[in-house]
Amino acid sequence: NPRTAGAAYTLHQPGGRTRKMRLRSASCQISILGVIFLFIFTAYSTIQGFASQLYGEALASEMESTLYATFTLACFVAPAVTNTLGPRLTLFLGALGYAALVAASLLLAIVGAPWCRGVVVLGGGVLGVGAALLWTAQGRLMLEYSDGTDQGRLFAIFWALFNCSSVVGGLLTFFYFSHHSEEAPVSLYLIFLGCIVLGGAATALLAPPHTIARPAASASASAEQRVAAAAPATEDAATPLPLLPPAARGGSTWEGEAKATLRLFGTRRMAVLFPLFWYTGFNQPYQLNTFGDRFFDSRALGLELASFYLAEVLGAALAGWTLDTASTPRAGALRQLAAFGLATSAAYALAL
């Protein structure tokens, strides 16, 4: 695995041929991962934001409820699937779940028969399973591509590209509904299906984490991190938990992974983070779906989505820089939490 202190990396192959290894850098691989999510969530985030207009309130509610129910249950088995199949294949399978909902929606738009409504609900259930696989694989790749010193920057790159999907989707629907008024937007669903297919195909560009080219200093840091993994760590330690090498994660069963996931809910670390997890899962559906769908037309909602997620892109860049330049991970996290609280409180105050 070639390593050099420069920005470009080289690989010496049989025959004396040398290739630049920019594609094997962590930043490039995270960028590819971000682009994959950009394609997939350009479709899904827009469908979620316009669910009431696309399906009607009753069907939208049934689909979303089924989606999140299967998503929650599938999260308990997704780690075992990821460890067995590998994160790249799992990511591809997760993308297929998102394609299932778009295909079901396209069927409803073309056929319009009552039984198609049940297919849409089923598509939402399949998407829930796919979402569990997709996000579990994404989390593992994010951690394994990082050398432990660049986590904030890599997460900022991914989060910015990921949220660009909603900016693109919001602008797309704004211009689409500016010129179309059809209730069953077949052409829009075809665009969404094409985006997800492109995202799924792009998973072939992801490199295995162990082949990532790193500078010499980063390689030393990664080696020390793996050695530290064997040492016992207290639950409330201030330092981040070390990663185990891939070989140590193999052979897991879904029963074991499910039990380990349930045990996390009894830890102090998870109890402290739970309110933040709950709020971030609650506020966006409320602000963009419950609130937005009731008070804005389709064009205005498209602009709302674009502006909301453009702010998330800018926030990701600032957060990544702050976390990587903080004196300690805890100091960076507390600084970000304070900024989050101030920004959120100001937004709600302005909405009054």
Side-chain angles (χ1 to χ4, degrees), residues 66-83 90 98 125-137 139 252-265 270:
T66 304
L67 188 160
Y68 283 103
T70 57
F71 183 21
T72 301
L73 294 175
C75 284
F76 291 99
V77 298
V81 175
T82 304
N83 290 340
T90 304
Y98 286 78
V126 174
L127 190 152
V129 176
L133 297 177
L134 189 86
W135 283 105
T136 302
S252 62
T253 63
W254 74 266
E255 297 99 334
E257 295 285 359
K259 291 178 181 178
T261 301
L262 287 172
R263 283 197 296 270
L264 284 175
F265 288 95
M270 185 61 66

Side-chain angles (χ1 to χ4, degrees), residues 69-334:
T70 57
F71 183 21
T72 301
L73 294 175
C75 284
F76 291 99
V77 298
V81 175
T82 304
N83 290 340
T84 301
L85 301 181
R88 293 182 298 163
L89 178 56
T90 304
L91 201 72
F92 173 74
L93 294 177
L96 295 182
Y98 286 78
L101 177 62
V102 179
S105 303
L106 182 61
L107 179 67
L108 176 65
I110 294 175
V111 179
W115 60 268
C116 294
R117 298 172 62 86
V119 176
V120 170
V121 175
L122 178 62
V126 174
L127 190 152
V129 176
L133 297 177
L134 189 86
W135 283 105
T136 302
Q138 178 268 350
R140 176 168 166 179
L141 285 173
M142 287 285 294
L143 293 174
E144 292 188 347
Y145 281 153
S146 172
D147 60 18
T149 64
D150 55 0
Q151 292 172 340
R153 177 174 59 86
L154 295 183
F155 187 81
I157 292 172
F158 170 80
W159 196 250
L161 288 169
F162 164 60
N163 282 294
C164 280
S165 63
S166 295
V167 177
V168 173
L171 293 175
L172 175 64
T173 50
F174 170 75
F175 289 111
Y176 181 88
F177 286 113
S178 296
H179 300 89
H180 300 79
S181 58
E182 54 185 306
E183 296 181 359
V186 174
S187 56
L188 199 59
Y189 286 134
L190 289 174
I191 294 173
F192 290 159
L193 191 59
C195 288
I196 294 177
V197 170
L198 287 174
T203 59
L205 300 176
L206 293 171
H210 69 274
T211 67
I212 295 298
R214 306 185 190 278
S218 296
S220 299
S222 297
E224 293 174 359
Q225 194 177 33
R226 290 189 177 91
V227 171
T234 62
E235 178 188 330
D236 301 321
T239 56
L241 295 178
L243 296 177
L244 292 173
R249 290 190 295 269
S252 62
T253 63
W254 74 266
E255 297 99 334
E257 295 285 359
K259 291 178 181 178
T261 301
L262 287 172
R263 283 197 296 270
L264 284 175
F265 288 95
T267 63
R268 180 178 179 274
R269 186 188 299 267
M270 185 61 66
V272 171
L273 291 174
F274 175 78
L276 183 63
F277 293 158
W278 182 87
Y279 177 77
T280 55
F282 159 79
N283 73 319
Q284 288 189 9
Y286 173 75
Q287 293 171 354
L288 299 178
N289 298 79
T290 305
F291 187 83
D293 278 358
R294 292 174 184 268
F295 297 100
F296 300 115
D297 60 20
S298 297
R299 293 181 62 209
L301 188 56
L303 286 179
E304 182 202 13
L305 288 171
S307 60
F308 181 93
Y309 286 102
L310 180 60
E312 286 218 13
V313 172
L314 298 176
L318 178 61
W321 175 80
T322 304
L323 289 171
D324 282 343
T325 57
S327 57
T328 64
R330 179 181 177 81
L334 290 176

Side-chain angles (χ1 to χ4, degrees), residues 28-52:
C28 184
Q29 288 298 308
I30 290 296
S31 297
I32 293 173
L33 185 63
V35 170
I36 291 171
F37 275 66
L38 188 156
F39 280 120
I40 294 173
F41 282 86
T42 292
Y44 174 67
S45 296
T46 309
I47 288 177
Q48 186 182 47
F50 287 84
S52 294

